[in-house]
Amino acid sequence: MAKSNLFVNGSEGDKAIVLGNEAIARGALEAGIGYASMYPGTPASEIIAVLDKNKKCIENLYTEFSLNEHISLHGAIGASWSGIRSLCAMKNVGLNVASEPAQFLAYTGVKAGLVLAIGSDPGAPSSSNEQDDRWYSLHTYMPIMEPSNIQEAKDFTKDAFDVSEEFSFGIVLMAPSRLCHNAGVLRFGDIRDRKNIKGNFKKDPENYLNLFSLAVKNHAKYLERNELLKKYLIESKFNKIINEGQSKIGFISSGVIYAHLMEAFDILGVYDHKILKLGFSFPISNELIKRFFEGLEKVVVVEEAEGFLEFQIKKIAYETGFKGNIYGKEFFSKTGEITLDDVIFGVSRFLEKPLPASFDFASKKYKELSDKLPQRSGTFCIGCPHRATFYSILKAVGFSNTEEKERDVVIAGDIGCYTLGLLPPYNAMDFLTCMNAGLSIGQAISNFDKNKKVIALVGDSTFYHSGIPVLLNAVQNGADILYIILDNSWTAMTGHQKTPSTQKDIDGKPSANVLNLKDLVKSLGVSYVKSLDPNSVKRFSAQIKSALKEPGVKVLIAKRECILQEIRRNKSLFKNDAKVAETGESLYEIQKSRCVKCSECFVELACPAIILKKDEDNGGDYYYIDPASCVKCGVCYEICPNSAIRKVEFDLKSEFKLKKGLPEAIV
Amino acid sequence: MKKFNIAIVGLGGQGIITMGTVMKNAALNSDLQDVSGSERRGGAQREGYVETFVKYIFYENAAEMNNPRKNMHSPMIESGGANALISLEPLETLRGIKYLNKNSIVIFNKTPYIPISVRMGKTKYPEISFIVSELQKVTKHIYYYDIDAISLEEFNSLTQKNIIALGILFAKADIPIERSAVESVLAEGKGAENNLKAFALGLNL
Ligand code: SF4
Ligand code: SF4
C-alpha cells in the first residue's frame, strides 16, 4: 500500500488501495488482536508480514513467523486462552500440518476470538496441490467465512472475532489467491483501543482438559454450539438472499466466485434470478436454504473445486424435501481455478443464453493461438545459488542436456525456491509432494532399489519446518542416502522471512540466535557432513561425486545467501556510494572469438543474463552477457570449458551509451 | 455504471505489479468509484508470466453503488474485456490477446526475453511481424517501442521501463483518470524524480 502509515493509523472515513491480505490483517487489527503468527506460505504471506513489518508502531502486538503451522496454530490457541485475540495465517496445505490443533479446537473452544486465515491456491500457481480446505470443517467443525472482495476481507475478519467469542469456535477465514492478491479500495473502520491488551490465563479444566469422558462431553458441547451458530446464521448479515424477480431459477455462491458470478450476470445482461450469497460456507442452516428454495424449480451452485457447497446443499434439499433440481459441477470444473471466463461460460450454458460477440471472438482467438506459443516457466533469479547447486549435481551424476545424457541417480525434490529445479533445463527432480517428503520417500527407495543412488534435496526453511525428525529417522534406521541442504538463509520464495540460518538482517544487523546448521546435523548423528559454497561449482560437484561413493547418511550443506537479499543489503548499505552503484569494478564478458557455442553456459547453466545476439557482420548470432542484468556471480566464468569468458574492468556508463548502437537481441 | 479495464502483462521482475498499484492509487479521489483488480504473483522467482488487472468502476449515483446487483466486481477481466493492454514482453502480448476487442488499445515493449524452451532449441520465438499481424486481426490500435532500450539510454537502467510504458498509455488511450493524479502518486513514491521523468518521456513518445 502506498501510505503504509494508514495501515496502522487509518480510521473511519479513510480509504486506500490495499492488498486482500493486508485487508485481512487490517480487519484483525481493528478487532484488537494481540497475537499474529504464521509459517510463511504463498498466497497468504503478506497477512502476517504486514503486521510484523509495522509492529514497532502498534502497541501490544506480538508477531511470530513460527517454524511450522502446527506450532503456529498452537501459539494462537495459547494466546486466545490467555484472553488475547489471535490471528493465525497459513496457506492451504498448511492446514494439513496444523490439522491436529485444528481438530482439538472445537473440543476445547476459545477464550478470546481466534481467526485462522487460509490462503487457498486453486490452479496451484504456487502450491503442490489445490486442496480445498473447506472439507476439513466437516470434522473440525471450524466455521468458515468467505469474503468476496477487499472490503469484505477486512469487515469479515473483524466480525469473525466476535462470532468466534460468542460461539467459542476458531473461525476459518478462507481467501483464494485471487483475493489474497487482489488490490483495490478499502474503506477503513476504527481500531479498538489497544492499551488494555493484556493476557490473563484462567484455568478452565471443563474445557481445556480433553481426554477420556471429558473429551466425549466436549464433543457433545461443540455439536450443540454448532446448532446454535446455525440458528444465528438464518438471519445474520453475512448470508444474503437477493430476490426481486419472478424467476424459478436460483444461484448459490460464495467468496470470490460470487464476485465473478455477479460480473458474469452483468456481462450477459441477466438480472432477474434469485441469488443466495453465503458469507458463511459452513455451517449452513437448513432453515435459510429452505427459505431460499421457496418458489424455485432449478438451483445451481457456482463454486470452485469439488463442490463443498453443493454437497451440503443437496443434503439439506433432501432433509427439507425440496422437489426441484440442483446442479453445480455439471457446469463448473472440479479442477483448476474457476475464472471469470469459466463462470460466464457456465452461466451461459446453464441459462442457454448466447455469449457476447466480443467475448466469444476473443476466447476463440486465444484458444487457437495459445497452443502455438512457446510456454514460459519461471526460473531461478540471475545469480541464484540454487542454479549453481543444480548445475553441480547434474554434472556430478553425468547428466547433460546438450548431449541428451540421462542420469541414473534418483533425485528427491522438496518445497521451496529450489523446487524450480524440476523444470527444464534442469529436470532435476523425480518426485515432489509435500514438505520433507523428499528424504523419507527417498530413504525407502534407496532401501528397495539397491542399484540406484538417491539424492534428497531440502531448503533450510523446509528443513527446520519438519525435516529434523526425518533426518534423525534416516540416521536411526541406517539409510544410505545423500541429503543436500540448500541453505540460502531465508524463506525466500514467500518473500524472505527469516530462518534460524539467517545471519544478518537486510540492514546489516546480525541476527540474535543464529543456528550452526552443521553442528545441528552432526548432533543428530551424521558423521559425514560438509558445508560448502555451491557457486564453486567444480569443487561442489567433485564433493557430490565422492559423497555418493560413501555408505550411510551423507549431508552436504550448500551454503550461500539468497542473491536478492545480498543485493538488497548492499544497496541499502551503499546507497550513498554512487560510485559502487554506477561504475562497477569488474564485469564478465564472453569473447566472441573464443566462444565455440558449446552451450555449457547458455543451456546447461542457463543463466538468464546470458543472451543471444544477432551478429550484424555475418547474420549469425552469438552469446552475450547482458551487463545490465549480470550480477557477477562468476559461475559461468568458472564453467566455460574453452576459457571464452573473461573478467574485465568496465565502465558501465559508456557501455550503456554504446548499447544504443549495438544490434538488438534476437530470437 | 461505466467500467474501464486495463490488463498489464509481462514477466516477473519487470515491475508489472508496481504499474497496477500506481494506476489504482491514482483513482482514489472520487466517491462514486471503485477500483479493483488481481495480480498473478507466484513466488519470488523471475521470468514467469505475470499479469495484473486494473478495473475502474464509475457509478451513476449512490443508489447504484448500493445495489447488490451492481456493486460486486470480479477481480479479473473477461475475454475481450480490456479497454487497454500493456505488455512489457512481445511474446506475452500474444498471450494477452485474449483480453482484446476491436476497440482495445495495445501498447507493447518489443524487447524479447526468450523462454527456456527456446533457449534449449525446442521451440521458436515468434517474429515481431507475426505478433503484430495476429494482434491486427483483433484491433487496429497497436503501438510498440523498444522500451528497454529507451530506459537504458535515459536512465542507465531497466527499472524505469514500466513507468515509461504508463506514460505511453496516457498518450495513446483515453484513460478516465487525470494524468496529474498519476503524477502525484509517482511524486510520493520511491525514486520520484526518475519516475516522473520516465512518465513524461512515455507521454511524448
Ligand atoms: S561455455 Fe564458453 S564456449 Fe561454451 S557457449 Fe559459453 S562462453 Fe561459449
Ligand atoms: S557472472 Fe555469469 S552466471 Fe553469474 S550472473 Fe553474470 S552471466 Fe550469470
Side-chain angles (χ1 to χ4, degrees):
Chain A
M1 80 179 52
K3 298 166 190 156
S4 67
N5 57 338
L6 266 190
F7 177 80
V8 176
N9 303 318
S11 56
E12 188 76 44
D14 288 327
K15 58 178 182 174
I17 300 293
V18 306
L19 207 58
N21 279 340
E22 295 170 338
I24 294 170
R26 170 68 196 193
L29 202 58
E30 290 184 8
I33 52 159
Y35 174 97
S37 72
M38 84 181 309
Y39 176 75
T42 312
S45 305
E46 295 87 356
I47 300 175
I48 303 302
V50 67
L51 290 163
D52 184 65
K53 197 173 75 189
N54 286 297
K55 73 175 166 198
K56 283 193 195 91
C57 4
I58 303 169
E59 209 177 342
N60 293 325
L61 177 67
Y62 174 88
T63 63
E64 172 178 309
F65 284 109
S66 316
L67 281 190
N68 67 37
E69 296 87 347
H70 190 274
I71 301 169
S72 180
L73 184 53
H74 271 141
I77 293 171
S80 159
W81 288 355
S82 309
I84 302 290
R85 285 188 161 191
S86 58
L87 173 70
C88 176
M90 57 188 62
K91 67 180 293 170
N92 58 344
V93 288
L95 189 53
N96 299 335
V97 182
S99 62
E100 202 158 18
Q103 188 64 244
F104 282 98
L105 192 48
Y107 280 82
T108 62
V110 305
K111 178 87 171 79
L114 185 154
V115 173
L116 172 59
I118 296 178
S120 64
D121 203 23
S126 25
S127 303
S128 55
N129 80 16
E130 49 171 14
Q131 74 184 47
D132 179 359
D133 281 353
R134 298 181 302 176
W135 294 98
Y136 267 106
S137 287
L138 293 180
H139 56 97
T140 63
Y141 277 80
M142 290 179 84
I144 306 166
M145 294 177 89
E146 291 190 56
S148 295
N149 62 13
I150 305 271
Q151 191 63 42
E152 286 187 357
K154 195 272 283 176
D155 295 345
F156 278 22
T157 308
K158 188 178 191 175
D159 290 332
F161 286 92
D162 296 334
V163 180
S164 170
E165 279 162 19
E166 193 175 338
F167 297 93
S168 197
F169 279 116
I171 310 278
V172 170
L173 189 103
M174 190 63 77
S177 32
R178 273 295 161 198
L179 178 58
C180 293
H181 291 163
N182 179 11
V185 180
L186 177 73
R187 292 173 167 78
F188 291 84
D190 287 330
I191 286 188
R192 261 208 191 184
D193 184 32
R194 302 194 56 83
K195 287 216 169 42
N196 300 319
I197 297 177
K198 245 194 263 109
N200 178 13
F201 177 78
K202 291 204 185 89
K203 291 182 190 174
D204 184 2
E206 287 274 298
N207 288 308
Y208 299 164
L209 288 178
N210 205 69
L211 79 170
F212 309 142
S213 62
L214 294 172
V216 180
K217 258 193 216 159
N218 280 348
H219 187 182
K221 279 196 277 186
Y222 77 66
L223 291 178
E224 252 167 56
R225 296 202 306 272
N226 183 55
E227 288 308 313
L228 290 176
L229 178 57
K230 275 189 187 171
K231 241 181 229 142
Y232 163 82
L233 290 174
I234 301 170
E235 300 280 356
S236 84
K237 63 179 174 182
F238 304 107
N239 302 321
K240 273 189 208 136
I241 293 175
I242 302 174
N243 180 31
E244 60 277 343
Q246 304 294 312
S247 169
K248 297 195 182 328
I249 295 175
F251 287 80
I252 301 180
S253 192
S254 65
V256 170
I257 304 303
Y258 172 79
H260 290 335
L261 178 65
M262 297 311 281
E263 183 133 357
F265 283 148
D266 203 39
I267 288 164
L268 292 164
V270 175
Y271 298 102
D272 45 2
H273 303 301
K274 197 171 179 179
I275 302 163
L276 172 62
K277 176 190 193 300
L278 288 171
F280 270 85
S281 54
F282 182 89
I284 301 177
S285 131
N286 282 26
E287 181 57 30
L288 174 74
I289 301 303
K290 206 174 144 191
R291 285 185 197 175
F292 178 70
F293 281 157
E294 254 160 54
L296 296 183
E297 286 169 2
K298 272 162 78 173
V299 170
V300 62
V301 184
V302 188
E303 69 183 313
E304 217 147 43
E306 286 168 53
F308 176 70
L309 292 179
E310 187 182 338
F311 173 84
Q312 296 181 83
I313 300 293
K314 281 183 171 163
K315 177 170 177 281
I316 295 172
Y318 174 78
E319 285 168 1
T320 56
F322 177 59
K323 292 283 173 305
N325 291 324
I326 296 170
Y327 306 89
K329 287 295 135 188
E330 299 91 334
F331 295 93
F332 304 96
S333 173
K334 288 180 179 173
T335 61
E337 184 187 21
I338 300 280
T339 61
L340 173 56
D341 277 17
D342 295 325
V343 176
I344 294 171
F345 278 123
V347 171
S348 125
R349 235 174 9 106
F350 178 73
L351 294 176
E352 293 173 6
K353 193 141 172 108
L355 294 165
S358 65
F359 176 89
D360 195 35
F361 178 79
S363 52
K364 281 191 182 129
K365 178 84 212 160
Y366 176 67
K367 229 188 194 158
E368 160 205 319
L369 208 60
S370 63
D371 293 344
K372 294 187 206 144
L373 302 180
Q375 284 309 309
R376 195 184 290 275
S377 51
T379 186
F380 302 118
C381 301
I382 293 169
C384 172
H386 295 333
R387 176 174 287 109
T389 301
F390 280 101
Y391 178 85
S392 307
I393 294 173
L394 293 174
K395 289 296 138 183
V397 302
F399 175 79
S400 160
N401 257 309
T402 32
E403 291 163 42
E404 311 244 325
K405 274 199 275 182
E406 255 314 323
R407 60 179 158 84
D408 59 359
V409 167
V410 175
I411 305 180
D414 223 299
I415 309 289
C417 278
Y418 54 99
T419 305
L420 292 169
L422 68 74
L423 299 172
Y426 315 106
N427 300 315
M429 283 177 193
D430 294 312
F431 53 90
L432 180 92
T433 57
C434 57
M435 304 274 276
N436 289 296
L439 179 54
S440 27
I441 294 179
Q443 180 188 337
I445 292 174
S446 76
N447 249 332
F448 294 111
D449 186 345
K450 302 280 186 212
N451 294 323
K452 295 194 186 74
K453 299 278 182 200
V454 180
I455 301 177
L457 308 174
V458 74
D460 52 323
S461 180
T462 305
F463 177 68
Y464 300 128
H465 173 281
S466 47
I468 295 170
V470 180
L471 178 54
L472 201 50
N473 183 71
V475 172
Q476 194 190 0
N477 294 294
D480 180 14
I481 196 163
L482 171 58
Y483 194 39
I484 300 180
I485 307 178
L486 297 89
D487 182 0
N488 69 356
S489 301
W490 298 90
T491 315
M493 194 142 204
T494 52
H496 298 96
Q497 294 79 14
K498 283 188 181 179
T499 82
S501 278
T502 312
Q503 313 262 342
K504 266 187 279 176
D505 210 339
I506 205 73
D507 53 11
K509 244 187 243 140
S511 304
N513 308 307
V514 189
L515 184 99
N516 186 324
L517 180 54
K518 198 172 165 187
D519 286 352
L520 171 67
V521 171
K522 267 191 199 153
S523 75
L524 294 175
V526 182
S527 51
Y528 192 114
V529 48
K530 294 188 164 41
S531 176
L532 58 175
D533 178 358
N535 277 10
S536 306
V537 285
K538 282 192 180 139
R539 213 182 123 230
F540 190 25
S541 195
Q543 188 61 67
I544 294 169
K545 253 190 187 159
S546 59
L548 280 171
K549 289 191 192 118
E550 300 291 324
V553 177
K554 290 85 56 183
V555 175
L556 295 179
I557 302 170
K559 188 153 191 59
R560 190 180 185 91
E561 187 176 27
C562 168
I563 185 76
L564 291 187
Q565 292 299 82
E566 196 189 315
I567 291 174
R568 278 177 198 145
R569 184 178 310 110
N570 287 343
K571 262 195 196 155
S572 76
L573 294 180
F574 300 113
K575 67 172 162 254
N576 300 321
D577 194 345
K579 257 197 184 145
V580 179
E582 276 193 24
T583 58
E585 333 72 59
S586 57
L587 287 186
Y588 292 92
E589 184 192 60
I590 295 177
Q591 295 166 268
K592 228 200 285 188
S593 55
R594 299 191 68 150
C595 172
V596 300
K597 289 176 81 180
C598 67
S599 281
E600 195 63 29
C601 62
F602 187 72
V603 176
E604 302 278 300
L605 179 68
C607 171
I610 304 174
I611 58 177
L612 203 55
K613 280 210 169 200
K614 212 174 249 157
D615 197 334
E616 296 209 328
D617 299 338
N618 58 17
D621 46 43
Y622 63 97
Y623 294 155
Y624 172 78
I625 295 178
D626 177 13
S629 18
C630 169
V631 299
K632 302 171 229 168
C633 72
V635 173
C636 59
Y637 175 66
E638 191 181 325
I639 64 162
C640 173
N642 304 300
S643 310
I645 301 180
R646 63 171 180 184
K647 243 178 164 172
V648 279
E649 291 303 321
F650 222 73
D651 176 6
L652 256 157
K653 267 204 154 150
S654 62
E655 162 67 8
F656 286 132
K657 291 277 184 283
L658 244 174
K659 208 174 151 122
K660 202 178 147 197
L662 283 178
E664 273 180 46
I666 62 139
V667 289
Chain B
M1 178 168 56
K2 281 202 195 77
K3 298 182 194 172
F4 194 93
N5 293 337
I6 306 169
I8 308 173
V9 306
L11 305 182
Q14 288 190 317
I16 304 284
I17 308 279
T18 310
M19 292 166 82
T21 310
V22 170
M23 290 303 282
K24 287 170 186 171
N25 273 294
L28 267 176
N29 317 324
S30 156
D31 262 352
L32 288 175
Q33 189 178 309
D34 214 340
V35 194
S36 177
S38 70
E39 301 155 355
R40 237 320 164 230
R41 12 171 147 187
Q45 81 273 17
R46 293 302 160 107
E47 309 251 323
Y49 175 69
V50 177
E51 64 184 11
T52 182
F53 304 125
V54 179
K55 303 178 63 171
Y56 298 124
I57 296 114
F58 304 93
Y59 298 107
E60 305 289 337
N61 47 44
E64 192 175 68
M65 196 167 72
N66 295 321
N67 179 349
R69 286 201 191 260
K70 297 275 182 187
N71 66 3
M72 184 60 77
H73 306 280
S74 161
M76 300 181 79
I77 295 176
E78 79 279 13
S79 284
N83 298 82
L85 168 74
I86 313 179
S87 164
L88 292 188
E89 206 283 340
L91 170 60
E92 300 316 316
T93 321
L94 274 191
R95 259 187 270 276
I97 205 166
K98 69 184 215 191
Y99 300 117
L100 301 180
N101 60 54
K102 62 181 193 305
N103 299 316
S104 309
I105 310 270
V106 182
I107 289 151
F108 79 89
N109 176 15
K110 62 178 195 156
T111 314
Y113 281 65
I114 57 171
I116 296 288
S117 53
V118 174
R119 203 175 263 264
M120 292 172 74
K122 300 230 156 102
T123 48
K124 258 191 80 131
Y125 194 101
E127 299 288 336
I128 297 287
S129 57
F130 173 77
I131 295 175
V132 173
S133 74
E134 284 303 304
L135 292 169
Q136 274 169 343
K137 289 179 189 162
V138 188
T139 170
K140 296 281 165 289
H141 317 287
I142 302 161
Y143 306 91
Y144 54 102
Y145 305 83
D146 192 340
I147 305 181
D148 274 34
I150 297 169
S151 179
L152 274 177
E153 187 181 325
E154 285 298 319
F155 300 98
N156 280 353
S157 115
L158 292 172
T159 39
Q160 258 67 43
K161 67 180 173 193
N162 56 347
I163 307 298
I164 298 174
L166 282 188
I168 303 175
L169 173 72
F170 272 82
K172 306 298 174 199
D174 204 2
I175 308 292
I177 56 167
E178 299 292 327
R179 281 173 197 190
S180 58
V182 175
E183 283 158 356
S184 44
V185 172
L186 294 176
E188 282 171 19
K190 264 192 264 168
E193 197 186 320
N194 277 345
N195 281 338
L196 286 168
K197 206 172 133 197
F199 189 65
L201 187 72
L203 275 173
N204 294 316
L205 279 175

